[in-house]
Amino acid sequence: MNQNHITSLNLVGCPTSYFASPAFNQNPLPISINGVRQMNHQLFSTMDKYDEKDAPLLFMEHMRVMFELDVDVEIQEKIQRPISYLRMLRGWFFDSNRPEGAVVKGWVESRFGLKALFHKKKLGSITDAPYLRYLSERMHRRFHSNSIYAQFDLLYEYSQYYWNRFGPPQNKLMLYRGINNLHSELQVVEELGKRKLIIRNNCVNSYSSSKERASEFGDTIIKISLPIQKIFCSPEILPGKLPNYENEYLILGGDYLSEIVDLF
């Protein structure tokens, strides 16, 4: 099977070829970004003492202090508000093809070895114009201040902590995505029948926990089952801080066993 969508390098200690495969989604391994839990052990040991409603508050306070995110006004014209994970995520939710989306995709590439396949246009060779534009946005210095990749690292580890502790016992979720044209919008790796297929997703994607919400984005609805290890961010872990009207989850990409389902 073509593996141009992955690299052999990652920071999670799991072969990218397995992490990006449908087999991982069926039989996942524990995933952790090297060194992040160890460097922030006090946060996680503190959260162990509290319940589900307190965990988001503890995490956001830790992020505020660690990355000095409480600067609400510009003291001088030359001093800008620090870049924060919340600002970047809001940019993604507004439009994943914005520069903020490119930075998120670049972080996924560097940590999980999943290549970006789409940003405004399909991405091919690194010498092609669409890829060079993506690379320019991904590396823009305006979005790489204040250790933004380190903020994303900690957000992912917190997400894993939250879902392992407070998520469903089976550690898997069912999510949906609405599309208008299956073959033009997605990369179909293999068709397993009339309604089942293996879809290669972009390195990071938006799916919804609501089939009805997903239907607002297309008349074909794709359903996937994914392990919690593939969840980067979700409404539950940052209540009230991100748009929640679409029940939108940011999930890590790769190949997913997918099913076309009816709305009713």
Side-chain angles (χ1 to χ4, degrees):
M1 186 178 290
N2 186 311
Q3 294 194 335
N4 292 335
H5 62 304
I6 62 174
T7 69
S8 59
L9 302 176
N10 66 53
L11 297 180
V12 296
C14 173
T16 311
S17 58
Y18 184 63
F19 183 72
S21 71
F24 179 90
N25 298 334
Q26 295 296 318
N27 298 286
L29 301 173
I31 296 295
S32 184
I33 299 173
N34 294 346
V36 178
R37 288 276 185 116
Q38 292 84 348
M39 292 178 63
N40 298 273
H41 63 91
Q42 290 184 330
L43 167 64
F44 294 99
S45 61
T46 300
M47 286 194 294
D48 285 339
K49 303 173 185 177
Y50 293 87
D51 59 21
E52 183 176 358
K53 65 179 177 60
D54 295 313
L57 300 176
L58 291 167
F59 169 75
M60 288 186 282
E61 178 63 11
H62 180 85
M63 295 291 280
R64 184 189 70 81
V65 173
M66 185 172 184
F67 296 102
E68 299 182 341
L69 302 181
D70 55 348
V71 179
D72 293 328
V73 296
E74 296 181 359
I75 301 174
Q76 298 177 6
E77 290 184 1
K78 295 183 180 180
I79 301 178
Q80 296 182 348
R81 185 178 303 179
I83 292 293
S84 77
Y85 66 106
L86 289 173
R87 174 184 170 184
M88 301 299 286
L89 291 173
R90 288 167 185 151
W92 170 282
F93 282 112
F94 182 78
D95 182 357
S96 62
N97 288 307
R98 288 164 57 104
E100 294 94 329
V103 175
V104 174
K105 293 166 188 173
W107 169 77
V108 173
E109 288 187 292
S110 70
R111 271 41 178 178
F112 302 94
L114 303 172
K115 291 182 180 179
L117 304 178
F118 189 94
H119 185 73
K120 298 180 181 176
K121 293 184 177 180
K122 288 185 178 180
L123 303 180
S125 169
I126 60 173
T127 60
D128 291 345
Y131 188 89
L132 293 175
R133 284 193 292 269
Y134 157 68
L135 190 63
S136 176
E137 292 191 359
R138 190 186 84 179
M139 300 302 297
H140 198 292
R141 64 180 183 178
R142 181 161 64 100
F143 297 104
H144 280 275
S145 61
N146 206 23
S147 304
I148 191 60
Y149 275 15
Q151 293 187 48
F152 289 155
D153 290 345
L154 195 45
L155 176 62
Y156 175 77
E157 289 298 328
Y158 162 60
S159 175
Q160 294 305 294
Y161 173 91
Y162 182 98
W163 283 102
N164 271 290
R165 186 175 172 196
F166 305 118
Q170 69 274 23
N171 283 344
K172 289 191 177 182
L173 296 178
M174 200 74 71
L175 297 180
Y176 304 88
R177 180 176 177 180
I179 56 174
N180 285 310
N181 190 313
L182 177 63
H183 291 277
S184 67
E185 295 185 32
L186 298 173
Q187 185 174 347
V188 178
V189 176
E190 185 177 358
E191 295 190 19
L192 304 176
K194 185 177 180 180
R195 287 179 170 265
K196 290 190 177 182
L197 55 161
I198 295 177
I199 289 176
R200 179 160 295 164
N201 285 263
N202 204 0
C203 61
V204 58
N205 309 266
S206 292
Y207 275 73
S208 177
S209 60
S210 167
K211 186 164 55 173
E212 290 73 19
R213 283 284 181 263
S215 70
E216 297 174 3
F217 295 89
D219 51 15
T220 299
I221 303 171
I222 301 296
K223 177 178 73 173
I224 62 170
S225 172
L226 81 160
I228 60 174
Q229 288 86 343
K230 290 289 187 78
I231 302 175
F232 170 41
C233 188
S234 58
E236 295 89 343
I237 71 172
L238 298 171
K241 294 299 180 180
L242 298 173
N244 192 25
Y245 49 86
E246 295 171 6
N247 303 101
E248 191 171 348
Y249 286 60
L250 266 64
I251 71 167
L252 304 177
D255 294 349
Y256 282 81
L257 177 61
S258 308
E259 182 181 356
I260 300 173
V261 298
D262 297 319
L263 179 57
F264 301 107

